[in-house]
Amino acid sequence: MFRRRVLIIPLIVVMFIISACSNSGNESKESKEKEVSHTMPVEETASAAILPSFLDNSSETIQTIYQAAASHQELLEHMPCYCGCGEMGHENNYDCFIQENKQNGAIVWDEHGVNCDVCLEIAAESMVEYQKGKSMLDIRKEIDEKYKEGYAEPTPTPMPEA
């Protein structure tokens, strides 16, 4: 199962890069900021192994990113999001997918990431690079550099330690 996931995540990144390239010239910073919804439905499941029902009609790619995000909390909590979701209270890329980890193991999932290519792309890129052995600090620097122009203000995410 883990080996399959390791192979799927690089494929996801390639798919997002292709889709981002086809859309990147057509959107301004203002239009990307307007895409951010300020109230997103949430759903609680008993554990991270159980995906929320709002993903039922989503692509396998989106479901895989949500599942992988749940197991990369520390990494994604050190990655900012550049879609403008800081205005709705998000502090990092992890918040785009998961609103809360409860003490009993339950997960409160956030639907925001489902329709946000920026959120999905940052999460997929971060997780792939981390699996390749890059440090959280190096990944963070790459994300900040890539999204510094043409995107919304980043979430107020602390830098990872060196």
Side-chain angles (χ1 to χ4, degrees), residues 43-59:
E43 182 179 330
E44 184 175 328
T45 62
S47 73
I50 304 167
L51 290 174
S53 63
F54 62 73
L55 291 175
D56 289 350
N57 295 321
S58 296
S59 70

Side-chain angles (χ1 to χ4, degrees), residues 1-108:
M1 181 71 147
F2 176 74
R3 189 173 283 264
R4 180 176 170 220
R5 208 176 267 159
V6 169
L7 296 174
I8 290 175
I9 292 179
L11 177 63
I12 293 168
V13 170
V14 170
M15 291 170 56
F16 278 110
I17 290 171
I18 292 169
S19 69
C21 290
S22 65
N23 292 330
S24 62
N26 299 329
E27 296 181 61
S28 67
K29 180 179 176 182
E30 291 78 22
S31 68
K32 288 177 185 171
E33 289 177 1
K34 288 179 185 174
E35 289 176 9
V36 177
S37 174
H38 295 283
T39 56
M40 297 307 291
V42 296
E43 182 179 330
E44 184 175 328
T45 62
S47 73
I50 304 167
L51 290 174
S53 63
F54 62 73
L55 291 175
D56 289 350
N57 295 321
S58 296
S59 70
E60 185 176 338
T61 299
I62 291 173
Q63 291 178 21
T64 301
I65 292 172
Y66 263 82
Q67 191 74 63
S71 62
H72 288 86
Q73 179 176 359
E74 182 181 5
L75 170 67
L76 297 181
E77 284 181 338
H78 285 94
M79 299 302 135
C81 189
Y82 282 83
C83 77
C85 63
E87 292 179 17
M88 56 190 272
H90 287 183
E91 295 181 8
N92 52 60
N93 187 242
Y94 187 74
D95 290 347
C96 301
F97 305 96
I98 297 174
Q99 187 176 89
E100 181 182 0
N101 295 78
K102 297 202 169 187
Q103 287 186 347
N104 66 0
I107 301 288
V108 179

